[in-house]
């Protein structure tokens, strides 16, 4: 099971490293109120290519990895938790139901689906506070509201306590 925790954590770290620029673009487009269109005069970003050029020109290449530290921790926590929970739950199911074998095809698929659902839920719950912090970091403009991760945690906690870190999933 320790291997699954390490494998999940490493895969999460590598995934984040390579997808961070896409995440930055996604968040910028989500925060832009104007339409994403070449015809819109008021839009800052008119297309993906335009957004890449604008960010490079105004902020430099490092802007595509803005929020990288928190995002990296988020992906490591999410993937490590998901892999570990999946393997742990699967082992418990097989201990509880030793007659569940590969020959039972449909039951095995349903078991894996259920265990995967639980693993995804646990991972999402464990990592969601990091996602909220990451989104606030990437989305903040100038002047910066959150100069550091510890300061962000303190300021966000003073908003609504622990619930601040679970904003988004219906809270």
């Amino acid at each position: 099971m320790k291997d699954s925790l390490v494998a999940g954590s490493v895969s999460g770290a590598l995934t984040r490293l390579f997808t961070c620029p896409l995440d930055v673009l996604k968040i910028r487009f989500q925060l832009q109120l104007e339409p994403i269109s070449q015809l819109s005069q008021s839009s800052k970003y008119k297309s993906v290519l335009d957004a890449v050029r604008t960010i490079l020109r105004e902020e430099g290449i490092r802007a595509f990895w803005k929020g990288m530290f928190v995002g990296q921790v988020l992906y490591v926590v999410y993937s490590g938790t998901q892999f570990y929970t999946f393997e742990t739950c699967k082992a418990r199911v097989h201990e509880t139901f030793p007659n569940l074998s590969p020959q039972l095809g449909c039951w095995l698929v349903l078991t894996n689906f259920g265990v995967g659902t639980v693993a995804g839920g646990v991972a999402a719950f464990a990592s969601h506070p990091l996602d909220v912090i990451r989104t606030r970091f990437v989305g903040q403009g100038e002047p910066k509201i959150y100069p550091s991760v510890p300061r962000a945690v303190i300021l966000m906690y003073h908003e609504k306590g622990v619930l601040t870190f679970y904003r988004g999933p219906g809270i």
Side-chain angles (χ1 to χ4, degrees):
M1 311 262 184
K2 181 180 156 193
D3 291 344
S4 61
L5 179 63
V6 171
S9 298
V10 170
S11 72
L14 290 173
T15 299
R16 177 63 184 171
L17 178 67
F18 294 114
T19 62
C20 191
L22 298 173
D23 198 40
V24 168
L25 288 170
K26 176 195 76 170
I27 290 172
R28 298 290 178 98
F29 282 126
Q30 287 174 334
L31 294 175
Q32 178 173 298
L33 299 176
E34 301 80 20
I36 301 164
S37 168
Q38 295 290 347
L39 303 175
S40 175
Q41 297 299 320
S42 61
S43 298
K44 180 166 185 168
Y45 307 121
K46 300 178 186 307
S47 69
V48 172
L49 189 57
D50 179 55
V52 169
R53 278 186 246 165
T54 302
I55 292 168
L56 278 172
R57 184 179 64 249
E58 293 179 356
E59 303 172 56
I61 191 82
R62 293 182 66 199
F64 288 102
W65 284 271
K66 199 174 192 181
M68 179 66 181
F69 173 74
V70 177
Q72 192 77 346
V73 174
L74 163 72
Y75 275 58
V76 167
V77 168
Y78 182 89
S79 296
T81 302
Q82 183 182 35
F83 277 54
Y84 180 79
T85 304
F86 181 85
E87 292 300 325
T88 302
C89 289
K90 192 167 89 172
R92 296 292 181 266
V93 166
H94 289 298
E95 285 173 14
T96 307
F97 304 101
N99 295 332
L100 190 65
S101 68
Q103 289 82 16
L104 298 175
C106 181
W107 290 109
L108 193 60
V109 169
L110 291 174
T111 300
N112 285 339
F113 178 78
V115 168
T117 301
V118 169
V122 169
F125 183 79
S127 64
H128 191 75
L130 296 165
D131 194 30
V132 172
I133 294 168
R134 176 191 59 86
T135 301
R136 292 216 187 168
F137 259 95
V138 173
Q140 72 180 334
E142 295 291 338
K144 301 245 181 275
I145 299 168
Y146 309 113
S148 67
V149 173
R151 188 72 183 137
V153 170
I154 291 166
L155 290 172
M156 291 169 65
Y157 181 79
H158 285 290
E159 284 178 27
K160 288 186 180 174
V162 173
L163 291 181
T164 298
F165 300 102
Y166 285 93
R167 291 185 74 177
I171 295 176

